[in-house]
Amino acid sequence: MATAGKIIRCKAAVAWEAGKPLMMEEVDVAPPKAGEVRLKVVATGICHTDSYTLSGSDPEGVFPVVLGHEGAGIVESVTVLCNCTDQLTQGKGLMPDGTTRFSCKGKSLFHFMGCSTFSEYTVVAEISLAKVDHRAPLDKVCLLGCGITTGYGAALNTAKVEAGSTCAVFGLGALGLAAIMGCKASGAARIIGIDLNPDKFPTARKFGATDVVNPKDHSKPIQEVLVEMTDGGVDYSFECVGNVAIMRAALEACHKGWGTSVIIGVAAAGQEISTRPFQLVTGRTWKGTAFGGYKSVDSVPKLVEEYMNKKLKVDEFVTHTLPFEKITDGFHLMHAGKCIRVVLKF
């Protein structure tokens, strides 16, 4: 390509400081080094993790930075997805050699989760890419780079939900809907969706929820409500909010002896989980999940194949598609709870 070995100047949404709006800037993207790939981003999702870091709540957040981690793009003739897989330097906002490939106005910009998809071009380590079917619509399958895969895999791989079981999903955003989808795929007999926003209930039912509960409709703690509803507690629960009080409630809603609760949501810096030891010594299990237990390079192409064969919902998560320049509008839609996922197209 004509740009091989050269710096590319392009548009990117730069987070200069925590708690400040993203700024659309012209940035320089340096050529990739050994073991790296530079790609043209075609589409990217906006995830709550991007907002979480931008807010300053992320203990690993570094600034200035190019956020974004649910991306799909083209490397020459190969189509790839960016995945939020982990490696030693990613939490520091650096490439594997300890440097960055982004710069703007004479300043270096940090990378984000090894992806930085809020840019027309980005450089990633080859471990962060997954080659997928070239026929797949990139403005849809980009979402398999984080949220859908994480929630879906939490049920299938982390909890290993069994057929005929009862599940509870706390939080009915994209993560929660994906967890519901995973529970349904596993053959769960009863799936209870919990959220404070009843407007989300019809969508949750479309994804597979058999029951929906609004904690505000009850005077008792939600864990007590669920224990009564299920004659002793659920077999599996999933916390998809990032609230430590809800994490506790999700655990305590599980059945004694075998109940398993999986934490998917990311809590703010400095937050700690707590419960009485009795909850655990009576046989409950508390787990966390990263990327739904999937190995990105091997698993993401298979998930794309499932989607292409109409065995996995993805299109249904995309409620808004906006041009990249409207990224701020996308964040507003997410914060207002008016979307499942916003996809930005370049």
Side-chain angles (χ1 to χ4, degrees):
M1 297 180 68
T3 53
K6 299 178 181 178
I7 291 173
I8 294 177
R9 181 161 288 182
C10 67
K11 290 181 182 178
V14 178
W16 288 104
E17 298 178 56
K20 297 294 180 65
L22 296 173
M23 300 294 293
M24 197 64 69
E25 306 277 12
E26 278 201 339
V27 304
D28 290 335
V29 185
K33 296 184 180 181
E36 301 173 1
V37 179
R38 184 165 60 186
L39 65 141
K40 178 177 175 59
V41 181
V42 174
T44 182
I46 299 177
C47 177
H48 279 279
T49 306
D50 300 308
S51 177
Y52 167 75
T53 298
L54 181 60
S55 72
S57 297
D58 185 351
E60 292 189 339
V62 288
F63 297 87
V65 62
V66 179
L67 298 170
H69 62 284
E70 282 187 338
I74 307 290
V75 181
E76 295 183 340
S77 60
V78 180
T79 302
V80 298
L81 295 187
C82 286
N83 308 298
C84 52
T85 49
D86 193 27
Q87 59 191 48
L88 189 60
T89 56
Q90 279 189 10
K92 299 177 182 177
L94 301 171
M95 296 301 289
D97 70 349
T99 64
T100 80
R101 304 291 169 267
F102 290 106
S103 61
C104 179
K105 300 177 182 178
K107 294 183 178 180
S108 294
L109 306 176
F110 288 106
H111 296 253
F112 182 63
M113 298 181 76
C115 295
S116 292
T117 56
F118 290 170
S119 175
E120 291 176 316
Y121 286 84
T122 188
V123 176
V124 302
E126 58 187 351
I127 193 176
S128 296
L129 299 181
K131 182 181 177 181
V132 301
D133 189 330
H134 70 278
R135 299 169 299 169
L138 300 186
D139 59 341
K140 301 295 191 297
V141 297
C142 62
L143 299 185
L144 293 173
C146 183
I148 296 175
T149 304
T150 300
Y152 188 63
L156 285 150
N157 304 324
T158 306
K160 294 181 171 57
V161 170
E162 296 182 355
S165 61
T166 297
C167 303
V169 177
F170 292 75
L172 300 178
L175 272 179
L177 294 174
I180 287 173
M181 190 165 62
C183 293
K184 183 178 180 181
S186 299
R190 192 176 184 188
I191 305 169
I192 305 168
I194 302 106
D195 204 287
L196 296 173
N197 183 355
D199 292 342
K200 296 182 178 181
F201 292 165
T203 303
R205 289 189 181 277
K206 288 178 183 177
F207 274 79
T210 58
D211 304 77
V212 288
V213 178
N214 186 340
K216 291 191 293 188
D217 293 339
H218 301 271
S219 58
K220 295 180 180 179
I222 187 61
Q223 54 266 52
E224 293 183 18
V225 173
L226 293 171
V227 167
E228 290 180 4
M229 284 179 62
T230 57
D231 192 25
V234 300
D235 302 305
Y236 305 95
S237 70
F238 302 87
E239 198 280 346
C240 307
V241 180
N243 180 303
V244 294
I246 299 174
M247 292 173 188
R248 178 172 185 164
L251 174 73
E252 296 178 1
C254 287
H255 202 290
K256 290 180 183 179
W258 61 79
T260 295
S261 185
V262 181
I263 296 172
I264 310 175
V266 180
Q271 295 289 301
E272 297 182 351
I273 54 174
S274 64
T275 191
R276 291 182 300 125
F278 180 78
Q279 295 291 332
L280 297 175
V281 298
T282 49
R284 297 175 184 85
T285 300
W286 221 348
K287 289 186 173 184
T289 189
F291 203 54
Y294 284 109
K295 303 293 185 183
S296 59
V297 174
D298 298 326
S299 302
V300 170
K302 294 176 184 177
L303 290 171
V304 171
E305 185 178 341
E306 285 187 37
Y307 161 72
M308 297 292 284
N309 292 329
K310 303 188 183 304
K311 295 179 180 178
L312 180 68
K313 284 184 171 69
V314 175
D315 293 5
E316 293 82 354
F317 284 85
V318 182
T319 52
H320 298 76
T321 301
L322 301 174
F324 177 53
E325 293 76 11
K326 298 280 189 180
I327 186 170
T328 299
D329 293 345
F331 272 85
H332 289 332
L333 285 166
M334 181 176 69
H335 293 149
K338 295 181 178 179
C339 67
I340 300 176
R341 264 296 194 268
V342 175
V343 170
L344 304 173
K345 294 180 73 173
F346 291 78

